[in-house]
């Protein structure tokens, strides 16, 4: 158990020669992970041992190697310079925003954060968004802290057996090899907060992860004071059992507010990023009520401090509970229960958040329309008006998601500081076509190498015959049009449309102008139909001549997402409208010069500019799901056959696909100007944090 352990980072520093101490400072803050020279600096210390985790690297590098590195002036200077840049970044004064300051920051609550692959406390788009939000807040010097949970068993690992059936396992994270700083009390013991759940005191310690300038506080109930079941509360991300999940939400929300108090942080604003943390608003009201303010007035006062973002219209993301389920966990009185009232006598966290926040927003323009209709019963519009849910379209953190080849190309042509200079973006048009196409070629080649490496490893793990294992070295072709489809295998994402008409799909793979397809994604551990679909996709490898053109990459995570969104030429998304609230993987692809082919839903309703930036399928639900699927699959094949494949393979005398490159430029400009986290954060500051309206009717 890690409860008794001190800080591994101190031990790591202690074993380094003084010349290398800057590396320990860098390893203790995830800031390095989004600097262009960050990973390479650690790799230089020990290329053989480098697996992307600096804490583990510094712990494991043999002493002899440390000694020789300390005598390498280039490496020492490089580490010192990077550490100095970090110190300068951390020393910048905070921006003054919406009454927030370093002493009174915005507290951003979320059940998951995808900051780095080594810290697997995320499972999908919500976590990705939250991780990007923190990084962008750091870059923008926004006074913000994150609040979340430390799941030792976070995102599960996926393995397929030789039949293609998914198996899951969890690897318990070792806090000793993560950049976790224990928050300590005045005696040097772990600082703990306490929440009353099921009539028992549940304790949680607080870890801090430094995300650049932004501290992310993670609560962890695995402490000796707790009984075995309470110790388990934060053990697993989105556990199947509803009571456990509710306890997680209570620890996150109520425990989170208490943790801020224990740390002496007075939040100017509490941002509930998705409904999981809704009980935080109640906790703020309860604090005021405890000081003698009548409950209704306490809710009104707290409301000014709370903003809410809803992230999905899918019902699994807006769970409802029997009053008894909540009562077994928390003592909520009548007035409190009314705030969470949902339909059919049930209670909901989204409802609670909508009724206790001064501002609520959806995550794309389309999702705004959907959310306003969906939550009309909760937020009764003022006479004749509309339900007050606004939208801020999501964006992705450019330094994290733009891969080095593209970044270097744009640095060379747009000048320093271009990501924050809208005038510089006009220069994209003038980048020589051959240079842009060469960069895309490098990205595709890198992706093919990645696919081959992963395929060999996956086949070895599955115990496949040796000839088949070694055949993986010949899969994929760096000159062939490459499609990617990678995301959670949830029913509404409609992965099955790819093989709706298997003969037509296979003809595309085998044609004289072929395409190759990369698929990745995890099915929820309890979702057998989704696993069966993965198995059907996996079986494509048995089709003659398709086996070298289709690959299923196991264990989709942040790292796989980075490789695939960087290297694929076309990023495919086929959600059943209107269930894709936003979607962000397509933005990552566009930032790397990939083109989107997507159903018009979520962010693509804003990004699709009549064909200039990619391709769209205008899906409609007439005639039921099956009819819709048949139409949308046919539209997908048609677009591929008639437009995508010809445009990719049509080359001029210089060997360049000019119309394709024109699309890349339009799509890249679109992504940089409208779908980065930088634009998103500006919108939050202007429209949510700054422009709150008090007293939403409920
Ligand atoms: C970006 C990202 C997502 C979100 O993808 P969408 O399919 O667009 O919702 C999910 N998981 C990971 C690991 C990501 O990096």
């Amino acid at each position: 158990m890690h409860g008794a352990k001190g800080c591994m980072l101190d031990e790591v520093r202690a074993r380094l020669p003084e010349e290398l101490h800057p590396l320990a400072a860098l390893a203790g803050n995830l800031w390095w992970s989004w600097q262009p020279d960050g990973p390479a600096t650690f790799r230089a210390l020990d290329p053989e041992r480098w697996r992307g985790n600096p804490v583990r690297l510094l712990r494991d590098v043999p002493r002899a190697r440390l000694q020789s590195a300390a005598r390498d002036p280039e490496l020492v200077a490089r580490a010192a310079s990077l550490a100095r840049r970090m110190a300068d970044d951390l020393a910048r004064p905070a921006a003054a925003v919406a009454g927030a300051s370093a002493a009174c920051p915005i507290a951003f609550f979320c059940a998951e954060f995808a900051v780095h692959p080594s810290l697997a406390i995320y499972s999908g788009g919500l976590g990705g968004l939250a991780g990007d939000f923190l990084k962008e807040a750091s870059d923008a010097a926004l006074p913000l802290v994150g609040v979340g949970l430390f799941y030792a068993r976070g995102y599960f690992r996926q393995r397929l057996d030789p039949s293609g059936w998914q198996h899951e396992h969890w690897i318990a994270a070792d806090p000793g090899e993560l950049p976790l700083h224990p928050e300590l009390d005045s005696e040097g013991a772990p600082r703990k907060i306490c929440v009353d759940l099921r009539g028992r005191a549940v304790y949680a310690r607080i870890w801090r992860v430094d995300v650049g300038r932004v501290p992310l506080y993670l609560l962890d109930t695995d402490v000796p004071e707790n009984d075995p079941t309470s110790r388990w509360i934060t053990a697993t991300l989105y556990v199947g059992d509803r009571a456990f999940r509710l306890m997680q939400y209570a620890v996150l929300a109520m425990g989170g507010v208490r943790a801020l108090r224990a740390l002496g942080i007075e939040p100017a604003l509490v941002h509930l990023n998705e409904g999981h943390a809704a009980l935080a608003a109640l906790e703020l009201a309860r604090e005021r009520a405890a000081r003698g303010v009548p409950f209704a007035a306490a809710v009104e006062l707290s409301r000014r401090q709370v903003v809410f973002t809803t992230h999905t219209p899918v019902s699994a993301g807006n769970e409802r509970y029997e009053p008894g389920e909540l009562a077994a966990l928390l003592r909520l009185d009548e007035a409190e229960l009314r705030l969470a009232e949902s339909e059919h006598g049930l209670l909901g966290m989204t409802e609670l958040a909508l009724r206790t926040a001064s501002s609520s927003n959806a995550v794309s323009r389309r999702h705004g329309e959907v959310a306003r209709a969906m939550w009309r019963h909760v937020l009764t519009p003022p006479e004749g008006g509309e339900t007050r849910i606004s939208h801020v379209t999501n964006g992705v953190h450019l330094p994290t998601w733009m891969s080095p080849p593209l970044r270097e190309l744009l640095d060379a042509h747009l000048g320093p500081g271009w990501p924050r200079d809208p005038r510089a973006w006009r220069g994209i048009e003038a980048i020589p076509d051959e240079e842009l196409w060469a960069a895309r070629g490098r990205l595709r080649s890198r992706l093919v190498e990645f696919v081959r490496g992963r395929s060999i490893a996956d086949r070895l793990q599955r115990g496949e015959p040796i000839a088949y294992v070694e055949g993986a070295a010949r899969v994929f072709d760096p000159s062939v049009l490459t499609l990617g489809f990678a995301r959670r295998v949830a029913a509404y994402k409609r992965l099955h449309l790819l093989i709706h008409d298997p003969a037509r799909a296979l003809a595309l793979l085998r044609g004289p102008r072929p395409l190759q397809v990369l698929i990745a994604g995890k099915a929820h551990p309890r979702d057998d139909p989704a696993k069966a679909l993965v198995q059907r996709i996996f079986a494509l490898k048995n089709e003659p001549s398709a086996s070298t053109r289709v690959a299923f990459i196991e264990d989709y995570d942040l790292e796989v997402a980075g490789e695939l969104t960087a290297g694929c030429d076309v990023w495919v998304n086929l959600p059943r409208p209107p269930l894709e609230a936003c979607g962000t993987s397509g933005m990552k692809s566009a930032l790397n010069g990939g083109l989107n082919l997507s159903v018009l839903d979520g962010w693509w309703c804003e990004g699709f500019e009549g064909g200039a930036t990619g391709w769209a399928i205008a899906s409609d639900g007439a005639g039921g799901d099956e009819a819709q699927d048949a139409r949308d699959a046919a539209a997908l094949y048609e677009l591929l056959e008639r437009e995508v494949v010809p445009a990719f393979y049509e080359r001029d005398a210089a060997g360049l696909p000019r119309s394709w490159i024109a699309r890349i430029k339009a799509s890249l400009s679109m992504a940089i100007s409208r779908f980065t986290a930088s634009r998103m954060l500006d919108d939050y500051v202007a429209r949510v944090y700054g422009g709150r309206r008090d007293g939403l009717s409920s």
Side-chain angles (χ1 to χ4, degrees):
M1 288 293 159
H2 54 260
K5 258 211 193 126
C7 180
M8 178 56 78
L9 290 159
D10 292 337
E11 290 170 36
V12 156
R13 180 180 296 102
R15 70 185 294 269
L16 297 185
E18 201 167 331
E19 295 86 339
L20 299 180
H21 279 190
L23 287 177
L26 288 164
N29 188 325
L30 287 167
W31 179 89
W32 66 270
S33 67
W34 70 91
Q35 310 308 315
D37 45 347
T41 304
F42 285 108
R43 186 184 301 112
L45 179 65
D46 193 336
E48 271 287 292
R49 262 187 195 76
W50 173 245
R51 297 274 185 284
N53 179 341
V55 181
R56 189 190 293 169
L57 177 80
L58 297 183
R59 187 192 62 185
D60 294 347
V61 173
R63 269 178 214 289
R65 175 64 199 134
L66 289 175
Q67 299 304 337
S68 69
R71 290 191 301 272
D72 175 347
E74 201 195 328
L75 202 159
V76 169
R78 190 170 176 183
S81 141
L82 192 61
R84 211 161 35 241
R85 261 180 45 218
M86 179 171 84
D88 290 347
D89 189 24
L90 303 191
R92 283 182 299 152
V97 161
S101 63
C104 301
I106 297 158
F108 184 91
F109 281 64
C110 193
E112 49 171 305
F113 289 90
V115 185
H116 189 260
S118 64
L119 186 64
I121 55 169
Y122 66 93
S123 78
L126 177 66
L129 192 274
D132 280 6
F133 205 103
L134 300 193
K135 292 177 189 175
E136 191 62 41
S138 174
D139 291 347
L142 191 72
L144 186 127
V145 303
V147 179
L149 298 176
F150 179 70
Y151 310 96
R153 287 154 223 269
Y155 204 8
F156 69 84
R157 309 294 296 267
Q158 176 194 50
R159 280 260 149 243
L160 302 190
D161 66 22
S163 82
W165 190 255
Q166 169 182 302
H167 299 263
E168 314 71 42
H169 61 283
W170 283 260
I171 300 173
D174 173 1
E177 49 181 51
L178 291 173
L180 295 173
H181 303 264
E183 288 293 337
L184 305 176
D185 62 20
S186 53
E187 331 261 75
R191 190 181 285 285
K192 291 184 188 121
I193 55 91
C194 179
V195 184
D196 191 42
L197 294 176
R198 299 188 296 155
R200 302 179 204 181
V202 172
Y203 293 86
R205 64 176 301 176
I206 309 167
W207 299 101
R208 191 188 78 244
V209 177
D210 291 326
V211 184
R213 305 163 50 97
V214 171
L216 167 58
Y217 297 106
L218 299 175
L219 298 170
D220 179 359
T221 62
D222 187 12
V223 295
E225 289 87 337
N226 288 336
D227 59 76
T229 43
S230 298
R231 287 186 87 140
W232 193 255
I233 291 174
T234 59
T236 310
L237 175 58
Y238 300 133
V239 289
D241 183 77
R242 288 162 66 85
F244 261 109
R245 218 153 50 225
L246 267 171
M247 288 196 281
Q248 292 187 335
Y249 302 160
V251 171
L252 167 66
M254 301 179 141
V257 171
R258 291 174 198 185
L260 294 175
R261 301 287 179 233
L263 295 164
I265 296 169
E266 172 59 49
L269 275 178
V270 167
H271 185 164
L272 309 173
N273 195 51
E274 191 56 312
H276 310 122
L279 290 164
L282 215 50
E283 176 70 8
L284 292 170
R286 281 181 169 188
E287 287 180 340
R288 289 188 165 90
R291 293 197 296 269
V293 181
F295 182 70
V299 171
E300 288 313 310
L301 288 170
S302 301
R303 177 193 310 287
R304 297 183 189 168
Q305 216 180 334
V306 177
V307 301
F308 169 55
T309 303
T310 175
H311 280 269
T312 181
V314 175
S315 60
N318 295 285
E319 240 175 325
R320 280 155 188 185
Y321 310 93
E322 300 284 347
E325 284 182 293
L326 266 180
L329 178 75
L330 290 165
R331 273 188 296 271
L332 297 175
D333 65 26
E334 278 293 310
E336 291 174 327
L337 286 173
R338 261 199 306 279
L339 289 170
E341 244 169 40
S342 175
E343 293 161 312
H344 315 299
L346 299 175
L347 302 166
M349 292 295 162
T350 307
E351 286 85 345
L352 177 59
L354 287 165
R355 290 204 189 90
T356 52
S358 57
S359 149
S360 296
N361 71 278
V363 291
S364 72
R365 189 178 68 208
R366 175 90 179 95
H367 180 223
E369 296 160 10
V370 173
R372 282 189 288 277
M374 182 170 175
W375 301 108
R376 199 174 290 145
H377 64 287
V378 181
L379 294 174
T380 314
E383 208 76 33
E386 233 192 325
T387 308
R388 283 192 262 177
I389 298 177
S390 63
H391 79 270
V392 173
T393 303
N394 286 341
V396 296
H397 184 241
L398 185 148
T400 297
W401 294 106
M402 185 177 277
S403 62
L406 239 287
R407 181 71 199 240
E408 285 154 21
L409 181 75
L410 296 191
D411 284 349
H413 288 280
L414 306 186
W418 66 265
R420 288 178 191 283
D421 179 5
R423 279 164 313 174
W425 304 338
R426 288 187 220 129
I428 292 171
E429 207 41 55
I431 296 174
D433 285 358
E434 56 279 12
E435 287 187 42
L436 185 51
W437 192 240
R440 285 298 314 160
R442 280 197 295 284
L443 286 170
R444 199 181 309 104
S445 298
R446 258 180 41 162
L447 177 63
V448 169
E449 284 310 304
F450 173 78
V451 172
R452 289 174 178 168
R454 278 294 185 107
S455 297
I456 290 174
D458 289 349
R459 290 173 188 194
L460 284 169
Q461 294 258 11
R462 284 198 297 269
E464 303 273 15
I466 189 162
Y468 181 64
V469 170
E470 294 187 335
R474 294 182 298 276
V475 302
F476 275 60
D477 180 333
S479 65
V480 165
L481 170 60
T482 306
L483 268 63
F485 185 105
R487 50 185 50 83
R488 285 181 303 118
V489 187
Y492 81 90
K493 302 272 197 184
R494 295 197 298 176
L495 169 62
H496 62 275
L497 293 198
L498 291 183
I499 50 168
H500 193 270
D501 182 345
R504 206 165 163 188
L506 288 170
L508 275 160
L509 300 176
R510 294 177 186 141
R513 296 180 301 179
L515 51 82
Q516 53 197 6
V517 186
L518 282 169
I519 298 159
K522 292 170 176 172
H524 188 280
R526 297 189 179 190
D527 187 351
D528 279 357
K531 290 185 189 180
L533 173 57
V534 168
Q535 194 169 37
R536 269 168 60 209
I537 294 277
F538 186 77
L540 284 177
K541 69 172 184 153
N542 302 323
E543 294 291 334
S545 83
S547 61
T548 58
R549 296 255 188 261
V550 189
F552 188 95
I553 307 292
E554 294 181 26
D555 208 26
Y556 180 55
D557 67 355
L558 273 181
E559 189 195 347
V560 174
E563 299 286 348
L564 266 55
T565 56
C568 288
D569 297 295
V570 177
W571 196 252
V572 180
N573 194 15
L574 305 164
R576 186 184 306 287
L579 296 177
E580 182 82 307
C582 181
T584 50
S585 58
M587 302 173 187
K588 299 167 188 171
S589 168
L591 270 187
N592 287 287
L595 300 177
N596 279 270
L597 190 177
S598 170
V599 163
L600 277 176
D601 196 17
W603 79 284
W604 195 230
C605 295
E606 292 159 68
F608 176 67
E609 296 166 4
T613 52
W615 298 273
I617 297 169
S619 179
D620 82 73
D625 286 358
E626 274 182 37
Q628 183 179 22
D629 286 358
R631 281 193 303 272
D632 292 354
L636 169 69
Y637 299 131
E638 186 114 341
L639 276 174
L640 289 171
E641 292 158 355
R642 296 222 179 146
E643 298 197 30
V644 179
V645 169
F648 182 88
Y649 286 107
E650 191 178 83
R651 306 294 161 94
D652 69 0
L656 297 171
R658 300 282 179 184
S659 74
W660 192 277
I661 296 171
R663 277 203 180 84
I664 292 179
K665 288 181 174 177
S667 165
L668 194 54
S669 300
M670 160 202 78
I672 290 168
S673 59
R674 293 164 54 206
F675 298 105
T676 64
S678 165
R679 190 275 308 148
M680 169 178 71
L681 206 63
D682 287 349
D683 282 354
Y684 270 99
V685 168
R687 311 214 306 249
V688 176
Y689 298 158
R692 275 168 306 130
R693 284 180 293 181
D694 291 342
L696 273 175
S697 52
S698 63

